[in-house]
Each structure stands twice: as structure tokens, then as C-alpha cells.
Amino acid sequence: MSQTVIQDPSAAIDIKVDVELRNVFKVFNGDTAVRGIDISICQGEFFSILGPSGCGKTTTLRLIAGFEEPTGGEILIRGKSVAHVPPYLRPVNTVFQSYALFNHMTVLDNIAFGLRIKRLGKAEIQQRVSEALRLVKMESFARRFPSQLSGGQQQRVALARALVNRPAVVLLDEPLGALDLKLRKEMQVELSNLHQTLGVTFIMVTHDQEEALSLSDRIAVMHEGRIEQIGTPSDIYENPQTPFVADFIGDTNLFQGYVEASDPAALQITTDKGLKMVVQPQETWNGATSQPVVVSVRPEKIQVSLNELDNQPNCYSGRLKHVMYLGTHVHYLVELSSGDCLTVLQPNRAESLPALHTPIHVYWSATDCLALTA
Ligand code: ATP
């Protein structure tokens, strides 16, 4: 079977697809964990599957790895169906959150294990293990046992053990989940460098949105077994297509409402609590009025003022309910006269902060908010 190739007209190049899921389902004892997902992951891409606990991320990764068989649909790797192909015969290797190292073996033996099972020659094993150790900067730790390593070093060994097989696709299941925040940030940079050096496809499962945004070429956001949106990090953040994606990625303020009138430049929306809003429609807007929508406004897009503003769309009065000083930023909680509570994030301009309960006005432009189909 030939490999799927996507024509990308903007780049005028052929993009080869490494991993493809077509309408894949997975049911465990009557409970559906994955509900008909379609994903195409390109060669050399850093692709993340992001979503809350229990949404089906790990199951999706395990289906690609071959640790689970799909209940329905098809999985292709490099254009070939992998139905009934056992994990060790797939051109993929998995790095687990728990590292899954053999504690009674040295670092070197852990990394060489898979190659010895494959009965490769001694010289080749030595050369490949040295290369893998060098890639993860662990050459001087070859004779140590896993218990003599820090969490970050163990994670590097787990990575080396996957890379030594020279897989086409590296599957990463919450690879940095067990590390503390500082080490996690350092390892994120290393993971990104490694991906660039190797040029192989990385598919990472994470529930950490910042990690997904900073590392990935593209992200699939999953929710209750379905894919809500696939896009670049900026697509996902700036143009969420559903209220769930808007709420899950970053912070946002959501208002339920309906469209009263629309033209190509502006939607006139009335929220359930009676606020009148003007929103510039997204390109995909279908033009229908009277339909329920959810308006999403990011906290950093909202301006605050002590003075009332005339002739400004999306301008509302309220009172300051809470102020949190964050150093570089100030976080405000504003209770509007409608009863809605808004979170606002403003850069710290070293001005004195308004006192609690101060009457305050908030506003944002029609281009700084989104109307999402409810
Ligand atoms: P987390 O971030 O908590 O790991 P996840 O998004 O990776 O969550 P999955 O581990 O894929 O979620 O689980 C999705 C659903 O499938 C959950 O409801 C889970 O309980 C169920 N599930 C996963 N594996 C099995 C299994 N082997 N048997 C039965 N149910 C399972």
C-alpha cells in the first residue's frame, strides 16, 4: 500500500503522513473511551494530544503503539494498516511517565536490552547505545543503576531506550509528568532540541496545556473520547472552535447568549443576563440569527478603567471584588451589575492598585472576543 501524501498548496510541498487514525473507536467493557477519531500526523511533526483526565488520550496512544486493539476504525503507520501487528513489530517506541526501567540493570544494559533481544551484533549494539547516550547527554552514567539516578536522569535513560531502536515515531505518554516544575521546564527544552536534532515524529500525550502549547507543531484537544479541535498552538489559543477548547486552553470568560442580528462585520449578541455584546464573527460563522452562542473573552484582552467610557462597545460597569498582585501582572475579579463575574489580567504598570469594592468599568473590542456555537 502506498503512503498517504497531503498536498499543501501554501507550501507547495508534499507532506508525508506518518500516522493516520481513521474513525477509530475503543470500547472497554461497554464503556466507550475513544469515539470515532480521525487524525493525520505528518513525518517529523511534534504532535500533542491534550485533554483532561479520562478523555481518552492514553488509550489513543496505546492504540497507536499496539498495546490496545481498536474496536472500530483503522490505524495506518507509514501508509500501512497495523491491524493485528504486535507492538514490537511496529516502527514506534513508547516513553512512559513511570520510565519503566529495569532496576536490576545498568543504564547501558537498559538501553541495549531491546537490541540484544533483536540479536544485533555486539559492535552495532555498542555503537547505537553510545549514540543514544550521547543524544540524551548521559555518557558518563552508563554503569549506574536506575536507583542511583535523579528523576530527570531516569527520564533521559527512558528516552535513550526508545531512541536506540531508531523508531519512525516516538510515543511519549506524559513523559515529564513525574518531574518537579523546574526540571520539567529544563526537560521541555531538551525534548524540543532532541526532536529537532532527530527529525522523527513525536506524539506526546499531556494534560499540561502550557507544555503542549510550547512544544508542539500541532495539538489535538480531546474531550470525552472525541477530538474537539486540531490546530497549531496559536490556532488553538486564538481561534478555539468550541466553548470547551476556549475554556480548557488558558483562562477565559464565557457568556451564554444568542445572536440578535448579524452582518459580515459584527454579531449583535444578548447574553442570558442581559448584556449587549458586539463580536466580530469568525470566518466559519454560518450567519444564522437567534441561535445560542457562547462568547469567550480572554482575561488579558479586557481593559479596566476607573472612568466611564462613552460610545464604546462591550463596556460594562461593576465593582472590584478581588485583586491579586502577581508581580509582572495584576489579576482582577470584577463583579458586573448583571451579576456576571469577570477575570481580568493586566500588565503591572507600577500604579497603585484600586481598593476593593471600587466602582470600575471594563471593556474590550469586538475583535478581542469570539462567538462560539453553543
Ligand atoms: P489520564 O490523563 O487520567 O491518564 P486519559 O485521558 O489518558 O486520562 P485514558 O487512560 O485513555 O484517559 O482513559 C479513558 C477512559 O477509558 C477512562 O474512563 C478509563 O477509565 C477507561 N479505560 C482506560 N483503560 C481501560 C481499561 N484497560 N479497561 C477499562 N477501562 C479503561
Side-chain angles (χ1 to χ4, degrees):
M1 196 184 294
S2 68
Q3 189 173 336
T4 313
V5 172
I6 296 173
Q7 300 282 343
D8 178 352
S10 62
I13 52 165
D14 293 341
I15 302 167
K16 294 198 172 73
V17 174
D18 246 359
V19 177
E20 202 178 347
L21 279 74
R22 294 181 182 162
N23 199 23
V24 169
F25 281 82
K26 180 67 190 176
V27 181
F28 292 109
N29 312 320
D31 290 331
T32 309
V34 172
R35 296 167 188 271
I37 61 173
D38 294 294
I39 307 179
S40 285
I41 300 168
C42 301
Q43 239 174 58
E45 203 174 10
F46 198 134
F47 190 92
S48 293
I49 303 173
L50 174 69
S53 182
C55 71
K57 310 180 290 293
T58 301
T59 302
T60 304
L61 204 74
R62 289 174 61 80
L63 286 164
I64 299 169
F67 300 132
E68 304 286 354
E69 281 294 318
T71 312
E74 197 179 13
I75 299 176
L76 296 92
I77 300 180
R78 299 228 152 152
K80 291 199 180 93
S81 167
V82 287
H84 313 302
V85 177
Y88 63 91
L89 290 180
R90 297 187 183 196
V92 303
N93 270 99
T94 307
V95 178
F96 300 96
Q97 176 177 359
S98 57
Y99 318 134
L101 299 176
F102 302 120
N103 285 325
H104 62 287
M105 288 186 194
T106 62
V107 165
L108 192 147
D109 289 338
N110 260 284
I111 299 172
F113 183 79
L115 304 182
R116 288 183 183 141
I117 295 283
K118 285 184 191 161
R119 299 187 178 282
L120 295 193
K122 224 175 171 180
E124 184 170 4
I125 292 179
Q126 203 168 24
Q127 186 249 328
R128 284 222 212 169
V129 170
S130 306
E131 180 189 294
L133 280 167
R134 185 178 48 74
L135 275 170
V136 298
K137 302 188 190 105
M138 288 291 286
E139 297 103 312
S140 53
F141 295 85
R143 301 277 161 209
R144 289 216 196 160
F145 288 89
S147 60
Q148 298 168 319
L149 301 174
S150 71
Q153 289 163 343
Q154 289 185 47
Q155 187 52 279
R156 286 199 184 94
V157 177
L159 268 169
R161 200 177 53 175
L163 299 176
V164 81
N165 296 304
R166 297 185 181 154
V169 181
V170 181
L171 304 175
L172 303 142
D173 189 3
E174 297 270 5
L176 312 180
L179 306 179
D180 66 44
L181 191 64
K182 187 163 179 289
L183 193 56
R184 195 173 174 128
K185 297 273 170 216
E186 283 170 26
M187 286 296 289
Q188 283 174 6
V189 175
E190 289 193 22
L191 209 54
S192 175
N193 290 340
L194 204 55
H195 173 250
Q196 278 169 20
T197 308
L198 296 171
V200 301
T201 307
F202 277 25
I203 306 177
M204 180 176 76
V205 155
T206 180
H207 64 266
D208 181 332
Q209 39 157 307
E210 208 182 299
E211 189 160 284
L213 289 173
S214 63
L215 290 177
S216 320
D217 295 312
R218 283 189 310 150
I219 299 169
V221 183
M222 276 190 88
H223 179 215
E224 295 179 350
R226 291 193 178 84
I227 293 197
E228 291 257 333
Q229 188 172 348
I230 297 181
T232 62
S234 66
D235 255 350
I236 298 276
Y237 187 81
E238 301 289 345
N239 296 305
Q241 297 299 309
T242 67
F244 174 81
V245 175
D247 200 25
F248 186 70
I249 309 289
D251 286 330
T252 199
N253 297 286
L254 297 176
F255 301 88
Q256 316 276 341
Y258 67 95
V259 180
E260 280 200 334
S262 77
D263 64 46
L267 306 176
Q268 311 289 334
I269 291 168
T270 302
T271 71
D272 291 356
K273 292 190 177 161
L275 300 176
K276 303 277 182 198
M277 293 189 180
V278 181
V279 181
Q280 181 177 290
Q282 299 199 66
E283 276 170 21
T284 49
W285 179 253
N286 61 14
T289 50
S290 303
Q291 63 173 304
V293 286
V294 175
V295 177
S296 164
V297 196
R298 297 279 187 206
E300 71 273 17
K301 307 275 189 188
I302 301 176
Q303 307 297 321
V304 291
S305 169
L306 293 174
N307 306 313
E308 201 156 348
L309 297 135
D310 293 331
N311 303 322
Q312 176 82 32
N314 308 324
C315 179
Y316 314 99
S317 306
R319 278 180 190 278
L320 204 50
K321 223 180 156 192
H322 192 251
V323 182
M324 209 190 297
Y325 179 76
L326 301 173
T328 56
H329 286 77
V330 183
H331 180 275
Y332 299 103
L333 189 63
V334 180
E335 185 171 27
L336 303 184
S337 317
S338 60
D340 292 292
C341 269
L342 275 187
T343 58
V344 180
L345 194 68
Q346 291 275 292
N348 178 10
R349 299 198 184 87
E351 294 160 353
S352 59
L353 299 175
L356 280 189
H357 310 302
T358 304
I360 205 155
H361 307 276
V362 294
Y363 61 101
W364 60 87
S365 74
T367 53
D368 277 339
C369 51
L370 293 168
L372 308 166
T373 308

